Amino acid sequence: MRRTIIAGNWKMHKTVSEAVFLIDELKPAAAARPDVDVVVCPPYTALDAARRAVEGSAILLGAQDVFWKASGAYTSQIAPAMLTDLGVRLAIVGHSETRGRFGVPEPDFDADVLRHFGETDATVNRKIRAAIVAGLTPICCVGETLAERQAGATDSVVASQVEGALKEIPAAQVAGLVFAYEPVWAIGTGEVCEAAEANRVCGVIRSTVGAMYGPDVAEAVRVQYGGSVKPDNAADLLGREHIDGALVGGAALKAADFAAIIAASPTG
Ligand code: PGA
């Protein structure tokens, strides 16, 4: 039985005091569901305060990214050990926004600007490997753009992102990983992927892992769905065979909404 994991990706939202306030508001919802892993991923600037805020609760702390080097001349980057030092337990890796694939088109992001968000399968793979070594659980995001879906390429895009992310990672380390299927066209757009289709693609992720590592690892890996998850669609998504949780953006910023999504997780 895979444990449900509901994670809030706060993206570039919340000051320190707002982060602490939101975590305090979430505590009853997390306490009510000891069978669910509840994760918040604030911006780096709020992690230290968030660490103190989650103390004594079951809420787990996640980061929105991580760099693969342990230290060095890498201006602006954050090493895995800097995160574990702050009590961070998980790290989102390969989010479509860090890959430069935005669900909501940014009118002033031309090709030059998009190069700033240059995540590739190779950098995702390095980050996952470094995160695992440091004891962080990666939440590896994969998903197709609208153009890729319309071209019938959804399954091949998702499978190749999974294969790229897992390159040269041994089976023993893969079982503990979390994947998030996040169709780019559903992120921040209000356009949710229909639950049966989300479940199908989460199944593609699981079978890709199975083809690489065998059925036991495939059964152990947890796969979240992400992309416009809201209180009113959460139960339908979370009740599906291959969907083990949700990676929530916009609805994670409001305590009542995130609490409702946690509460919508299937029991037992
Ligand atoms: P959304 O974002 O819930 O606002 O669509 C999800 C994500 O990007 O992880």
Side-chain angles (χ1 to χ4, degrees):
M1 191 64 197
R2 295 181 292 270
R3 226 176 122 77
T4 301
I5 175 165
I6 308 291
N9 173 13
W10 293 5
K11 308 192 179 184
M12 201 174 70
H13 293 283
K14 305 291 178 187
T15 61
V16 167
S17 59
E18 289 166 349
V20 169
F21 191 78
L22 178 52
I23 287 169
D24 282 339
E25 285 186 300
L26 290 173
K27 284 180 181 169
R33 293 302 302 270
D35 56 328
V36 174
D37 285 342
V38 176
V39 184
V40 294
C41 305
Y44 291 130
T45 45
L47 282 175
D48 189 34
R51 181 249 302 256
R52 276 174 268 124
V54 299
E55 242 169 55
S57 81
I59 299 174
L60 301 170
L61 211 51
Q64 295 177 19
D65 198 359
V66 61
F67 195 56
W68 60 84
K69 294 281 190 181
S71 63
Y74 308 107
T75 300
S76 87
Q77 299 300 307
I78 304 290
M82 294 172 176
L83 296 174
T84 54
D85 189 39
L86 285 176
V88 171
R89 305 274 299 278
L90 302 96
I92 296 171
V93 175
H95 191 277
S96 54
E97 287 152 13
T98 65
R99 293 181 193 249
R101 289 152 64 89
F102 289 88
V104 182
E106 296 281 347
D108 61 340
F109 283 14
D110 60 20
D112 266 342
V113 174
L114 278 176
R115 267 198 286 280
H116 174 79
F117 305 91
E119 193 84 280
T120 65
D121 288 342
T123 60
V124 168
N125 175 255
R126 285 185 177 220
K127 289 177 178 185
I128 290 177
R129 287 197 270 169
I132 292 170
V133 168
L136 290 165
T137 298
I139 298 178
C140 175
C141 301
V142 298
E144 81 288 359
T145 62
L146 185 59
E148 288 163 347
R149 171 162 285 267
Q150 286 167 341
T154 298
D155 295 10
S156 61
V157 167
V158 166
S160 93
Q161 287 177 341
V162 170
E163 286 161 4
L166 295 179
K167 208 163 162 222
E168 286 166 27
I169 300 180
Q173 297 182 337
V174 175
L177 292 192
V178 179
F179 281 93
Y181 169 51
E182 297 212 311
V184 178
W185 49 270
I187 294 179
T189 58
E191 195 78 47
V192 69
C193 182
E194 207 264 310
E197 173 61 6
N199 180 57
R200 189 191 69 77
V201 185
C202 289
V204 170
I205 294 173
R206 198 177 303 289
S207 60
T208 305
V209 172
M212 296 174 79
Y213 297 98
D216 290 352
V217 176
E219 270 306 301
V221 151
R222 291 186 289 176
V223 184
Q224 299 174 307
Y225 168 78
S228 298
V229 177
K230 304 280 183 259
D232 62 356
N233 59 28
D236 191 16
L237 288 159
L238 293 169
R240 306 278 166 157
E241 180 188 357
H242 291 296
I243 302 181
D244 306 314
L247 183 56
V248 186
L253 300 174
K254 284 196 208 114
D257 286 357
F258 196 59
I261 293 167
I262 295 165
S265 303
T267 45

